[in-house]
Amino acid sequence: MLAQEGDQLGVRVGDPGRRAGQRETRDERPVGGRTDRYGQAPGFEATAVFRDEARDPGRTIPRATYLALVLIGAFYTLSSWAVVSAWGDDGAVARATEDPGNMIVATITAVLGPVGGDLAQVLLVTSLFAALLSFHNVLSRYLFALGNAGSMPAALGRSHARHASPHAASAAQSGTALALIAVFAVTGMDPVTQVFAWMAGTATLGVLALMALTCAAVLVFFRRSRVDTRFWHTALAPALGLAGLLVCLWLTVANFPTLIGGSPALATAIGGVLVAAFVLGTVLTRFTGDRPGTLPSPDAPGTVTGYDTAGTDLQEETR
């Protein structure tokens, strides 16, 4: 889009003249609905989940996280500028209000023609598959870690004897996903306006809350342990992150009915489920406790290499 009509995109911001939206677009594109709600927050924090597969996690994970933040921020900035430039300031607001779900695809179709719009739809579907695969990998490793910590059944913490992959957690995640899809299909829920929008909004709210709690946990941990005294790493950075995430969390909660495309009652019910899950996890953890003795040995067959290096990496960095 930038290459085809860069002159229009760069000069016509606020120009009351002809806009991309004056060309005919097709409205029958349900696939593009509500894509702006998908993964608004989750993503960059997943780098830490893969520290067990990294040769030097103490160095690789921070670099990957910062690089992901820079690339995602630059991409969103460029994309937002291109869309607003194509419609104009007032036109972009009006179009986003009128049809937010199809705005991106309609913009691409208006600038590049029907072929560009169709290509955007194909890329959207393939990117959704890639995103689902990424979520599966991350959730599998969350279950794997929780199984080892004692907060979930110990079987989820087992790794494959040959491939050293969290195969039990992966199978559990696949089974859970299939069961939920079956429930959605039997109840006749709309895959876009209900399943996709509700689940994406729920994930956004839940992950924002978890990231805020993680920032608070970082502050408390280093305050108590003093294993690392670097001010930026242990105090300033997590405090700034906590402040920003709390603002995002407040905005998300305040606009949650809009985020999921549902009623205030539905938004309250989904929020209640998240709170109940958090309380249940807290209670289960208090009753079961951690099982530090069940963590696999690095030399044991089927153990993910580097699983027990989380503490030693930090101590080596502080020396």
Side-chain angles (χ1 to χ4, degrees):
M1 182 166 61
L2 289 171
Q4 290 280 338
E5 293 192 14
D7 56 335
Q8 292 186 14
L9 297 180
V11 191
R12 292 196 171 185
V13 177
D15 184 356
R18 179 184 159 284
R19 289 288 177 264
Q22 292 180 350
R23 301 183 189 178
E24 283 190 354
T25 59
R26 285 181 287 178
D27 295 331
E28 62 279 4
R29 296 181 181 270
V31 179
R34 307 182 190 280
T35 57
D36 57 314
R37 296 165 190 171
Y38 192 76
Q40 291 177 348
F44 74 91
E45 83 289 345
T47 54
V49 180
F50 294 94
R51 67 172 293 116
D52 298 338
E53 280 100 326
R55 293 183 179 179
D56 186 6
R59 186 182 302 271
T60 305
I61 299 304
R63 289 181 177 179
T65 304
Y66 287 125
L67 181 61
L69 285 172
V70 171
L71 292 178
I72 292 173
F75 177 77
Y76 277 130
T77 301
L78 179 62
S79 301
S80 301
W81 170 80
V83 172
V84 174
S85 298
W87 293 93
D89 295 347
D90 297 333
V93 175
R95 182 68 185 188
T97 304
E98 174 189 350
D99 188 11
N102 292 319
M103 181 179 181
I104 301 299
V105 176
T107 305
I108 296 175
T109 303
V111 175
L112 298 182
V115 175
D118 292 337
L119 181 61
Q121 295 281 32
V122 173
L123 293 176
L124 172 63
V125 173
T126 55
S127 66
L128 288 177
F129 175 78
L132 290 174
L133 182 61
S134 174
F135 283 148
H136 174 85
N137 288 331
V138 172
L139 286 172
S140 298
R141 281 156 179 81
Y142 276 138
L143 293 175
F144 177 77
L146 291 171
N148 275 311
S151 300
M152 296 290 284
L156 297 177
R158 297 173 185 170
S159 54
H160 196 276
R162 179 180 178 183
H163 304 292
S165 59
H167 68 295
S170 178
Q173 162 58 20
S174 297
T176 303
L178 288 175
L180 289 174
I181 291 174
V183 171
F184 296 149
V186 169
T187 56
M189 295 177 63
D190 187 276
V192 176
T193 61
Q194 292 180 315
V195 178
F196 185 76
W198 294 2
M199 297 302 104
T202 303
T204 299
L205 178 59
V207 172
L208 274 175
L210 289 177
M211 289 195 293
L213 288 171
T214 301
C215 288
V218 170
L219 291 170
V220 173
F221 174 80
F222 286 110
R223 181 86 172 179
R224 292 177 176 177
S225 66
R226 311 297 295 177
V227 67
D228 189 349
T229 58
R230 291 173 295 179
F231 180 69
W232 167 256
H233 294 77
T234 63
L236 183 57
L240 292 174
L242 177 60
L245 286 168
L246 287 177
V247 173
C248 294
L249 184 60
W250 174 76
L251 292 173
T252 302
V253 172
N255 298 278
F256 196 58
T258 303
L259 183 66
I260 62 173
S263 63
L266 176 63
T268 303
I270 292 178
V273 170
L274 291 175
V275 172
F278 178 80
V279 173
L280 179 62
T282 303
V283 172
L284 288 177
T285 301
R286 283 191 172 275
F287 275 100
T288 59
D290 290 343
R291 293 193 302 265
T294 62
L295 290 176
S297 167
D299 300 324
T303 300
V304 178
T305 304
Y307 183 84
D308 64 338
T309 61
T312 56
D313 287 337
L314 182 59
Q315 293 175 0
E316 290 176 0
E317 288 181 12
T318 56
R319 290 174 183 169

